[in-house]
Amino acid sequence: MEITRRRLLSALSAAGLLAVIPTGRADAATAAKGRAQLLANTVAALAGTATSNARPETAAKLAAVDRAARANLKAMDDAGEGELFAGLALGTDEANLNTAYRRLYETALATRAPGSGGLYGDTAVQHRVLDGLAWLHERHYGDQSKGYYGNWFHWEIGISQHISKTLVLLADEVRAHRPELVRAYVSSMDAYLRNGTDGDVNLDSRFHTGANLADITTNRVLQGALLGDAAGDARIRKALTDQLTVFLTIDPYHLRHGVTDGHYADGSFIQHASVAYTGSYGKGLLSRVVQTLKILDGTGFAHGEELVPTVYGWVKDGFAPLIFEGWMMEIVKGRAVARTESGYADVAVVVEAVVDLASLATGTEATALKSYVKHLRATSRTPLDPARFVSPVSIVRYADIIGDASPPPADLNPAARSVAFNAMDKTVHRRPGYAFALARSSDRISKYEYMNGENLMPWFQGDGAHYLYLSGQDQAQAYGVDYFTTVSPYGLAGVTAPVEQRRTIPELYGKAYYDNPGHPLRFTSSSESQNTYVYFPRGTNTWSGGAVLGAYGAAGLVQSSDAAYRDRALLPDDFVVYRGARATKSWFLFDEEIVVLAAGVGDAGGRAVTTTVDARVAAPDDRVTLTGTRRDGRAWSGPGTADLRRLRYANATQNTAVGYVFLDTPPVRVTLERVTRSRRVVRTANPDTPVTRSVCGVTVDGAAGARPARLAYALVPNATEDWLRAHHHGPLKVLANSPRLQAVSHSGLGMTAANSFTPGRHETAGLRVEGPASVIVHRQGRGGAATTTVAVSDPTMDRARITVLLRGRRLGKVTADEGVRVSRDPDGTRIDVDTRHAYGKSFTATLSG
């Protein structure tokens, strides 16, 4: 363990983070003052202050705090024999135990929040809370032999959070009324860290990473302050040192403790080892570290201001590209896509963190963060409700930002931006008027996440599923839980799927996981085998990635079956595996068009397959029209099946439209159906609420036993009929579309883009590429002012060098990224790119001549 510790300290030192923790020990008086400040900061963050709570903006929050506490007290009054809260059975359901502790916290909060109502300062209520803590510890928590059933998260994180915060809120009354509670609970909380070592964090544990690690260590910081002695101070310092690891950028080629969870250089965020998770665990981590910076302010335990630039970078490069008009994109939410909370509610959590980060930042960073808060408020279709913030202080800070005439609202993104989150196999392409989000997968990144009965039908969410967000629309009507509820899981936008009927995990095994502890792979609810084959299986393909050149992008994917199908011979006989369809796909991302190529589309087993060009949902009474032109020039209106040249979906009620230009596509089946399903079909804990949507599907069918097909089409956001007619002889040209090479040109932009998928030489339109690569070439200007800019990326993540040749007149280097060499070749201009350990990064060179 000491060797691991030394390595940790060395890594933190090399990253410049170790200086955040002051060296040396403070004298007793200074340490006591720091602990008192930490506790006071925490109370202020949770309950607000007399000053903050006197502001009218906090009234709704304080009223909600009072209502929750009174409801909890009523449930305590009505409790029967063996109950703490009426109707909440304890002893076998850890979620109920977590709820009991949460309710005690909510009740304590009302007694410490100035202005919350008649419970503020009520010591009798505080004693009831402390007596409730003692009762729970005696009957349901303190006996280690009876605890730790069900979900590990509740025992190591969730319950501990509620306990620690409750004890902090009532620290004075604890000393007076129940002084034994702190040490009893701290001892028990340590014992429940069973994925740790000796009652402490274990940085080598797969459970103690990323957002989970931040939660655990923040708990331990509060526990240390409550202990109020030298051992408590040591606990605080150790917890903060452990938490600093979440600020380290993950280097996939030099992993620390084998951990892949965290933030990457390209803005990606991963949790659970292989799940793209910015929009769920990522926002949790953001909130937790900002809260920790707040509670540490002025305590002397850490110099938190030194961490602010790192967190600012997370917001700018990791979160902002994934938020469109106040909505968190589906591609980074894991199993949370099946929850009823909307993408707008997700962003509200981010906004609170940004508000507080702005108060900690200085200079241009503080200004940019405040402008971003205003931008999110101004562009969101759902009004942001600050009453849902955790802290009344944050509500006041938010009101002050909004009320300040300067700075003006401003996005942290440029209006036009293409982002390759290659470390988590996701792509985002933004333009004024729309945003396009693409979910890929590989042998590095999971195809989907299912867990705990959440996201019951996830099978194809990482197989090129896309989400096209149109400006001005209510995204909760277009996407969110109701999209997954009403759109067939086999017909998600962008997906190629076999025609078959799959069953959910509860349907297959009668419970929320596969249980087989006697098998050599030892399947239990939290086992690594469960993760690998049930919860978040990875693909088996290596080609997934793409290049970015300025505001333009190229992405690609070789579709595969998952790890469970690959390893089916190793799995138990009753374990059900599913074989995926086959396709090689590319997405070329321009200004007005997203061009999609697909080749080798079919199934090795001879099954029929479907490829969904797009799937759009609308309210059942929205006025939706489907109009188009056949290949022979005749007008067409749908739904129906036809050999189409172009199609336009228009929702007149929402004033939105999407066009489709079929460059080389078999007949297209267009459907428009009224679908009603319960939200429970995607998550067992959802209310059994029926949802009705008008679902439009644009699909290409492949018959059973058919030869592999190819498709080429363009998505055109916000397209008008005139624009689509003009595009008949438009700027797009398909240069190649096979499982070896896919390439297009855009004459209006002077751009050629190509994805090569196999070893060997690939040639198209004056471009030669050696081996697998993603390449974009942009030619601008004429004569002596002409420039050619090239971007190159390695989507396999394992090539040492990529060579590209531009045929024709030799060009001279103007600028080039480090690792890019430009040289003359008898056939033109040669570009060699060192891609070793680049992890999908795009390298660029600008040439003249």
Side-chain angles (χ1 to χ4, degrees):
M1 192 65 186
E2 183 59 32
I3 294 176
T4 300
R5 195 75 189 155
R6 285 201 298 269
R7 288 176 179 170
L8 166 63
L9 297 177
S10 176
L12 294 173
S13 178
L17 294 176
L18 196 58
V20 171
I21 310 296
T23 58
R25 294 183 180 274
D27 60 70
T30 301
K33 183 178 179 181
R35 292 192 298 269
Q37 185 65 56
L38 195 155
L39 293 174
N41 289 349
T42 306
V43 173
L46 298 175
T49 66
T51 300
S52 69
N53 295 10
R55 291 276 294 268
E57 296 91 346
T58 64
K61 172 69 176 180
L62 297 175
V65 168
D66 184 69
R67 284 194 304 272
R70 292 186 184 278
N72 294 336
L73 289 170
K74 177 67 165 54
M76 293 179 79
D77 292 337
D78 295 341
E81 183 68 26
E83 291 182 330
L84 182 61
F85 295 96
L88 191 67
L90 301 176
T92 59
D93 187 334
E94 82 289 354
N96 281 358
L97 183 60
N98 182 71
T99 298
Y101 279 110
R102 174 178 56 79
R103 291 178 177 178
L104 290 177
Y105 162 71
E106 292 170 345
T107 308
L109 181 63
T111 73
R112 294 303 314 274
S116 63
L119 299 180
Y120 175 65
D122 190 325
T123 57
V125 172
Q126 292 174 345
H127 289 178
R128 287 192 74 180
V129 170
L130 296 177
D131 292 343
L133 285 177
W135 188 91
L136 287 174
H137 192 273
E138 178 184 349
R139 299 194 181 197
H140 296 286
Y141 189 78
D143 187 343
Q144 292 290 314
S145 67
K146 295 181 180 179
Y148 212 89
Y149 46 83
N151 191 332
W152 75 272
F153 179 91
H154 289 300
W155 298 98
E156 300 206 22
I157 297 178
I159 291 172
S160 296
Q161 286 180 329
H162 301 314
I163 294 169
S164 298
K165 291 189 297 184
T166 303
L167 291 173
V168 168
L169 286 171
L170 305 183
D172 291 340
E173 286 304 313
V174 169
R175 285 189 287 269
H177 181 65
R178 290 276 191 174
E180 77 285 355
L181 277 184
V182 168
R183 294 196 179 276
Y185 262 111
V186 168
S187 176
S188 293
M189 286 187 282
D190 286 352
Y192 280 123
L193 277 178
R194 297 188 185 177
N195 290 297
T197 301
D198 298 328
D200 200 351
V201 165
N202 177 9
L203 294 175
D204 292 311
S205 168
R206 62 189 172 92
F207 297 90
H208 293 185
T209 62
N212 290 336
L213 176 62
D215 284 339
I216 293 169
T217 50
T218 299
N219 285 343
R220 295 181 69 77
V221 166
L222 298 181
Q223 295 158 14
L226 286 165
L227 287 171
D229 55 17
D233 294 343
R235 177 182 292 251
I236 293 172
R237 287 191 294 270
K238 168 65 164 54
L240 292 175
T241 304
D242 290 338
Q243 189 172 120
L244 283 177
T245 61
V246 305
F247 293 91
L248 294 168
T249 300
I250 300 293
D251 180 351
Y253 302 102
H254 299 93
L255 295 175
R256 304 175 183 91
H257 304 281
V259 171
T260 57
D261 290 356
H263 288 272
Y264 288 70
D266 67 0
S268 297
F269 176 81
I270 289 174
Q271 187 79 31
H272 290 167
S274 59
V275 179
Y277 237 151
T278 314
S280 186
Y281 275 85
K283 67 180 172 65
L285 174 62
L286 177 67
S287 294
R288 183 66 64 236
V289 297
V290 172
Q291 289 167 5
T292 303
L293 294 178
K294 288 163 58 180
I295 68 175
L296 289 171
D297 190 30
T299 66
F301 284 109
H303 306 305
E305 65 277 5
E306 298 182 23
L307 299 172
V308 170
T310 298
V311 184
Y312 173 79
W314 295 352
V315 174
K316 179 177 180 293
D317 297 319
F319 284 89
L322 293 162
I323 298 173
F324 181 71
E325 296 187 349
W327 180 269
M328 179 65 71
M329 295 178 178
E330 273 71 16
I331 60 173
V332 288
K333 292 179 62 173
R335 68 185 191 272
V337 294
R339 297 174 186 170
T340 56
E341 294 84 359
S342 75
Y344 296 120
D346 294 325
V347 171
V349 176
V350 176
V351 169
E352 180 174 7
V354 173
V355 164
D356 291 330
L357 186 64
S359 73
L360 299 167
T362 58
T364 58
E365 289 182 353
T367 301
L369 291 169
K370 292 175 182 178
S371 290
Y372 187 51
V373 169
K374 290 183 174 182
H375 166 78
L376 292 175
R377 179 178 183 268
T379 59
S380 176
R381 280 295 303 270
T382 296
L384 192 149
D385 182 10
R388 298 186 64 174
F389 286 2
V390 172
S391 176
V393 176
S394 302
I395 295 172
V396 170
R397 288 173 177 158
Y398 173 79
D400 289 344
I401 290 172
I402 300 304
D404 186 357
S406 63
D411 198 350
L412 289 173
N413 291 279
R417 186 179 187 187
S418 202
V419 184
F421 292 112
N422 285 331
M424 62 179 180
D425 278 344
K426 303 294 177 279
T427 302
V428 173
H429 186 67
R430 304 170 65 102
R431 287 296 184 273
Y434 76 89
F436 176 80
L438 174 68
R440 301 178 274 109
S441 58
S442 65
D443 59 356
R444 306 175 302 274
I445 297 299
S446 300
K447 282 177 168 284
Y448 56 80
E449 188 195 45
Y450 157 82
M451 193 186 294
N452 300 334
E454 295 190 292
N455 202 19
L456 289 164
M457 299 183 290
W459 307 294
F460 308 103
Q461 290 171 4
D463 285 344
H466 76 248
Y467 306 85
L468 181 54
Y469 305 97
L470 302 178
S471 183
Q473 75 178 1
D474 182 352
Q475 307 302 339
Q477 294 294 316
Y479 292 109
V481 63
D482 294 342
Y483 174 82
F484 296 100
T485 297
T486 55
V487 175
S488 165
Y490 314 94
L492 299 178
V495 162
T496 295
V499 177
E500 65 181 4
Q501 191 68 36
R502 299 188 177 189
R503 290 186 290 165
T504 68
I505 296 300
E507 288 171 340
L508 287 170
Y509 308 119
K511 57 177 63 177
Y513 56 94
Y514 175 71
D515 194 25
N516 194 342
H519 188 270
L521 292 175
R522 296 195 299 178
F523 281 91
T524 62
S525 62
S526 297
S527 66
E528 290 193 61
S529 295
Q530 198 80 225
N531 293 350
T532 301
Y533 299 117
V534 179
Y535 290 159
F536 24 87
R538 305 183 192 196
T540 53
N541 55 299
T542 59
W543 208 114
S544 176
V548 171
L549 177 56
Y552 302 97
L557 168 71
V558 177
Q559 193 167 311
S560 70
S561 295
D562 65 13
Y565 184 79
R566 178 198 61 197
D567 296 344
R568 58 195 180 279
L570 305 175
L571 295 167
D573 292 339
D574 65 340
F575 190 96
V576 178
V577 300
Y578 292 112
R579 184 180 197 168
R582 288 184 174 178
T584 298
K585 293 188 177 182
S586 292
W587 296 261
F588 300 106
L589 312 170
F590 301 119
D591 289 321
E592 297 176 311
E593 313 96 344
I594 296 108
V595 180
V596 185
L597 304 187
V601 178
D603 179 65
R607 295 169 298 178
V609 300
T610 60
T611 298
T612 304
V613 173
D614 202 9
R616 305 206 65 80
V617 303
D621 297 327
D622 282 1
R623 291 179 291 122
V624 173
T625 57
L626 298 163
T627 56
T629 304
R630 298 175 186 267
R631 192 74 58 187
D632 60 13
R634 290 181 295 151
W636 178 91
S637 61
T641 300
D643 186 10
L644 294 177
R645 177 186 296 163
R646 58 180 177 264
L647 171 69
R648 182 172 184 262
Y649 167 95
N651 184 332
T653 306
Q654 298 294 324
N655 194 30
T656 58
V658 180
Y660 308 92
V661 178
F662 299 105
L663 303 168
D664 180 16
T665 306
V668 178
R669 176 167 53 90
V670 183
T671 57
L672 185 63
E673 301 174 314
R674 186 184 180 99
V675 178
T676 300
R677 292 195 184 97
S678 167
R679 286 174 173 168
R680 195 167 286 173
V681 302
V682 294
R683 180 173 179 256
T684 57
N686 280 351
D688 191 12
T689 304
V691 174
T692 301
R693 287 287 184 270
S694 174
V695 179
C696 174
V698 183
T699 306
V700 176
D701 297 314
R707 297 181 62 183
R710 68 181 186 187
L711 318 175
Y713 55 89
L715 307 173
V716 187
N718 305 309
T720 64
E721 291 281 11
D722 290 342
W723 190 98
L724 287 173
R725 281 193 293 270
H727 226 66
H728 176 44
H729 300 291
L732 300 174
K733 183 178 181 180
V734 178
L735 303 174
N737 188 11
S738 76
R740 293 189 69 254
L741 176 68
Q742 294 176 331
V744 301
S745 66
H746 193 299
S747 59
L749 295 173
M751 191 168 290
T752 300
N755 288 326
S756 53
F757 298 94
T758 58
R761 181 169 292 181
H762 306 274
E763 301 220 25
T764 183
L767 174 66
R768 189 176 80 196
V769 182
E770 301 288 347
S774 183
V775 181
I776 306 173
V777 180
H778 192 192
R779 296 178 174 88
Q780 295 174 286
R782 294 183 178 182
T787 62
T788 300
T789 309
V790 182
V792 179
S793 172
D794 169 25
T796 72
M797 310 291 189
D798 62 5
R799 299 195 64 190
R801 177 182 300 173
I802 294 175
T803 299
V804 174
L805 178 73
L806 302 181
R807 292 189 177 277
R809 187 170 57 180
R810 295 170 183 171
L811 306 176
K813 183 179 79 171
V814 178
T815 61
D817 290 343
E818 184 178 353
V820 179
R821 296 178 302 283
V822 179
S823 60
R824 292 186 174 184
D825 184 274
D827 293 325
T829 305
R830 173 174 170 147
I831 302 171
D832 291 293
V833 182
D834 293 332
T835 55
R836 182 177 182 272
H837 288 185
Y839 219 62
K841 173 186 174 181
S842 291
F843 295 83
T844 62
T846 300
L847 314 173
S848 64

